[in-house]
Amino acid sequence: MRAFSYTRAQSPAEAASAAAHTDNAKFIAGGTNLLDLMKLEIETPAHLIDVNGLALDRIEETPDGGLRIGALVRNTDLAANERVRRDYAVLSRALLAGASGQLRNKATTAGNLLQRTRCPYFYDTNLPCNKRKPGSGCAAIGGASRQHAVVGVSEACIATHPSDMAVAMRALDATVETVRPDGAARTIPIAELHRLPGDSPEIETTLQPGELITAVTLPKPVGGTQAYRKVRDRASYAFALVSVAAIVQPDGTGRVALGGVAHKPWRVEAAEAELPRGAKAVTARLFADAKPTQDNAFKLPLAERTLAAVLREARG
Amino acid sequence: MRFEHPATFNPIDQLKVVGHPTSRIEGPLKTTGTAPYAYERHDVVPNQAYGYIVGAAIGKGRINAIDLAAAKDAPGVLAIVTADNAGKLGKGERNAAPLLGGPEIAHYHQAVALVVAETFEQARAAAQLLRIDYSKADGKFDLAAGVDGAIAPKPSFGGPADTAVGTFASAFAAAPVQLDARYTTPDQGHAMMEPHASIAAWDGDKLTVWTSNQMIAWGAGDLAQTLGIPKDKVRLISPYIGGGFGGKLFLRADVLLAALGARAAKRPVKVALQRPLMFNNTTHRPATIQRIRIGADRDGTITAIGHESWSGNVKDGEAETAVSQTRLLYAGANRMTAMRLAALDLPEGNAMRAPGEASGMMALEIAIDELAEKLGMDPVALRIKNDTQVDPEHPERRFSQRQFVQCLNEGAARFGWSQRNPKPGQVRDGRWLVGMGVAAAFRNNLVTKSGARVRLDQQGVVTVETDMTDIGTGSYTIIAQTAAEMMGVPLEKVVVRLGDSDFPVSCGSGGQWGGNNSTAGVYAACVKLREAIAQKLGFNSDEAEFADGLVRAGNRSVPLAQAAGQDGLVAEDAIEYGDLAKTWQQSTFGAHFVEVGVDADTAEIRVRRMLAVCAAGRILNPKAARSQVIGAMTMGVGAALMEDLVVDKRHGLFINHDLASYEVPVHADIPHQDMVFLDETDPVSSPMKAKGVAELGICGVAAAVANAVHNATGIRVRDYPITLDKLIGQLPEVG
């Protein structure tokens, strides 16, 4: 871990401004991912801005009946929230499928969205990784890639986004609220928050330098049967091989987002039109441009079968 | 004490203390976080500095140059040790690859430097500032590719490379029912909770190391040999160990580099292996490729059995002895086994819980299940049919005890085996395809010299000292039980001190030999102490009875403590074995039963319940022994379903080198376990009449899981771990 300086932010705008005007600064909230990466010198911030003191830890109703979730709301609290459990069950289930109780107690809503990939080549600083060291190459391509992305990949990177929560947020059409260094607020649809790797896998989101997430807003409840199914080798405390967030309406329409298959939560709205025709038709659209490796080609049938199971259960 | 004839009645047979399910006497220390582990010994020596190990960044090659300048100038740095400045180093008898690499690099994450600083954080930060210029060389990292050039290893712990009885080839060819299948097991890591950790302090030419090591005498000897100093100048202290599983049997880099760092910094230095280094820096269970051929008559009688195994290792490393159980487990007139060793440049392979046996049983016990399927026979019945009471390669050697059939029958009855549908893929419980599997558990009992010292003081307290270790197994407790039984005192009057090279040399913890041998050593020392006490108190030692804190004979009774005198009474002895282990085959047996559910949609495999029935001699403490077996069963589930050190064959390393990516079972994977010990005493094993259980528990578990998966789905997976990707393409379509 490199030595770093540390300050506590007094307001979101001040935090964003400080981040933009300090060399190599990062925000820290729960720290469950960042500190691990700093110990390995995968992340080497020179300055940390602690945002934990900001009053961003509340869950409030929005005028249209949705929910505004403060950036600092801990995963445990969000999963246990009565409104979330009742009206956004897919989110509560996704949260509880992730990490461990101890980690969820610390991990924040915004931090969860911004966690970094678990690609083992990203974690080993002796090996090439375009995400960690742009231009060095991608060791996962041609290497151990069982956990990796099958769709939306590039020649530069086949890493996945590891979050469960984000997959549910994507299915719910959440909106990310931010404050920029100049103090201006903006909202970003969650579909536009995470990027595909392309030629610059080191740039993972559309946030600008210094831009701070202040809240995530959920639109008014959409009803339906909501499910989050996470498939993994062991029963708990493992990242998804494939996960399915689904909201299925009584008329057979619905929404589907997948985790564990791409550099971002994977949702293709056009594919959802196929829902009445079943999982095979939906996944055919979701994976139209899939480029799996030999190690992870199983994710395609696995996703299809998992979605089929989710749809079957949702429809009773 | 020489143990040359089967044991007759002795004080242990009273079973007033031994054989009871006593809770661990050191348990409160552990549950309150006050048992001092090596890295936490802030109290033992002042002014400790911190060392941080740098591992090699290449799988094979050499270091051209190391630029230390930036690291030396970093805050708090006291010293940097590399092969350039460490002085001449030898190599421990039990190490294959050198523990400090450079300029030659033998394997990935081989230690190449230790940075010593005032604080851990400073050492870690400075370690990142070393600039090491490597020349990468081509290495051999692919076992399958190495099979062709593999050679017969020299005879070792696991016996000769090849054995043969009768005429295997023709008998197999003539058999009406034949199985010929290939199995693979992956490299596995010990992944124990406590990393390797040491504090080293020099006092002149004397070195003391507080460490975490299973085998104190091996470690002290190999440390002295590596440093080129006399063994009596080295003291190793390791009273508490947070798991080992074989990963701490040997001298490892933390000990050596702490010693070198302390010499260079001229102050005590503490070193813990950082978790991401553990998988490639230390040893692991090597992968195997195995071929098993079995020929049988239609009634299930095995007429030919052949088992071949290929494994790889670094130069001077040994083969994984995966065929050794096949030499003994089933009858069959015509037999062959063969082991071959390929030269690889991966990290050093060495012992992990039931080395050889666990890997071999993973394959053999699927093969038996496959043969049963071909025969249309129940797999329990097939195993019973081919039971043998003698060593099949040396029929003059009988098993001292062999309750294998009883374990199978008892287990089948308790588990509800009769409810198993022999036709695979027939049982459904909601979304789960349900299946049952069985496998033999089988591990030999090893006897080896073990010493102890016993002291009686004026308060009647009996103190036992031995360099035996407790790696979470219950050694403290069973040793205390043994001494209490022998001296006729309550458990509270016994103090046990372990894991110090100043104490008599014991068997140590390994090979499931610790329980029986270490307590037999304590028994021997106690016999001597009883004689000394009897003599001092004027009793005939043959007639004296030790009970309730008294020595009694006839009408006379004297408090034990009276014999101690001002200086106490001390006796030291060791158990040493004659030829009983040659004339008899000593083994432990069991049967594993497993029920799994396989998700019909996703192919996720979840164990639903497990049962082990074991026969392993006298069970010295049923509670501790049960913990050993259910822990081993858990580890067996890991081997079956998830544990896999994934080799990157281009870069030459195990790429999943942390606990997030090297998965071992979590609580949710182990819903229900049961285990039963059959009554058994084995007078051939030692005066304790006990045998080992810790490795028996893992042998066969993975195959029982594999067989249950087959019963659930009809899919036979022969390559471990059994992960859903190996099933998903063969499961029926879902709607």
Side-chain angles (χ1 to χ4, degrees), chain B residues 587-666:
Chain B
S587 300
T588 60
F589 292 89
H592 288 292
F593 292 82
V594 173
E595 181 179 289
V596 303
V598 178
D599 189 295
D601 299 303
T602 64
E604 287 166 289
I605 305 163
R606 301 287 180 255
V607 170
R608 290 158 68 100
R609 57 192 183 103
M610 311 177 77
L611 166 70
V613 179
C614 298
R618 170 173 284 150
I619 301 306
L620 301 174
N621 180 327
K623 194 172 189 175
R626 179 180 188 276
S627 292
Q628 282 300 293
V629 174
I630 64 173
M633 289 157 72
T634 304
M635 213 165 177
V637 171
L641 299 180
M642 58 195 85
E643 292 190 43
D644 182 3
L645 285 171
V646 178
V647 180
D648 185 310
K649 293 169 192 160
R650 307 159 306 166
H651 297 285
L653 78 155
F654 302 128
I655 184 62
N656 51 337
H657 50 66
D658 58 35
L659 288 179
S661 51
Y662 183 81
E663 292 185 11
V664 298
V666 294

Side-chain angles (χ1 to χ4, degrees), chain A residues 102-249:
Chain A
Q102 293 91 331
L103 287 168
R104 292 194 296 267
N105 287 341
K106 283 297 283 181
T108 63
T109 304
N112 189 317
L113 290 174
L114 299 181
Q115 66 181 299
R116 308 204 64 192
T117 186
R118 303 296 168 145
C119 172
Y121 297 95
F122 176 69
Y123 269 80
D124 190 324
T125 52
N126 294 323
L127 299 177
C129 172
N130 288 321
K131 191 182 274 297
R132 178 169 32 76
K133 193 176 174 194
S136 61
C138 172
I141 296 174
S145 56
R146 184 169 178 270
Q147 288 278 346
H148 289 71
V150 293
V151 68
V153 299
S154 72
E155 297 294 312
C157 182
I158 58 170
T160 56
H161 192 269
S163 172
D164 294 297
M165 184 197 80
V167 181
M169 296 272 198
R170 179 71 180 89
L172 290 166
D173 277 333
T175 303
V176 176
E177 295 182 12
T178 70
V179 58
R180 288 194 283 196
D182 62 4
R186 72 161 172 158
T187 59
I188 307 170
I190 191 156
E192 293 165 22
L193 177 69
H194 296 107
R195 296 176 73 253
L196 289 177
D199 294 333
S200 51
E202 74 280 11
I203 305 171
E204 293 169 352
T205 68
T206 53
L207 295 174
Q208 292 168 5
E211 191 168 5
L212 176 73
I213 296 177
T214 52
V216 178
T217 302
L218 304 179
K220 70 175 190 226
V222 295
T225 300
Q226 303 194 2
Y228 189 78
R229 181 72 187 275
K230 181 175 182 179
V231 180
R232 45 190 161 175
D233 290 320
R234 66 179 172 191
S236 178
Y237 203 38
F239 295 97
L241 292 167
V242 161
S243 69
V244 174
I247 301 169
V248 182
Q249 302 298 345

Side-chain angles (χ1 to χ4, degrees), chain B residues 41-60:
Chain B
R41 297 305 301 268
H42 314 289
D43 58 316
V44 290
V45 53
N47 205 25
Q48 297 172 15
Y50 291 79
Y52 194 85
I53 294 178
V54 178
I58 60 171
K60 187 178 169 65

Side-chain angles (χ1 to χ4, degrees), chain A residues 206-310:
Chain A
T206 53
L207 295 174
Q208 292 168 5
E211 191 168 5
L212 176 73
I213 296 177
T214 52
V216 178
T217 302
L218 304 179
K220 70 175 190 226
V222 295
T225 300
Q226 303 194 2
Y228 189 78
R229 181 72 187 275
K230 181 175 182 179
V231 180
R232 45 190 161 175
D233 290 320
R234 66 179 172 191
S236 178
Y237 203 38
F239 295 97
L241 292 167
V242 161
S243 69
V244 174
I247 301 169
V248 182
Q249 302 298 345
D251 64 1
T253 64
R255 305 175 183 181
V256 173
L258 301 184
V261 297
H263 199 254
K264 57 191 281 189
W266 195 248
R267 182 174 171 201
V268 178
E269 275 79 350
E272 290 166 3
E274 305 286 344
L275 267 171
R277 278 180 287 283
K280 193 183 275 293
V282 176
T283 49
R285 293 291 290 272
L286 282 169
F287 293 136
D289 300 313
K291 273 193 199 155
T293 67
Q294 201 179 342
D295 281 3
N296 67 20
F298 72 92
K299 287 189 175 187
L300 302 184
L302 178 61
E304 182 194 322
R305 296 175 71 102
T306 308
L307 177 60
V310 167

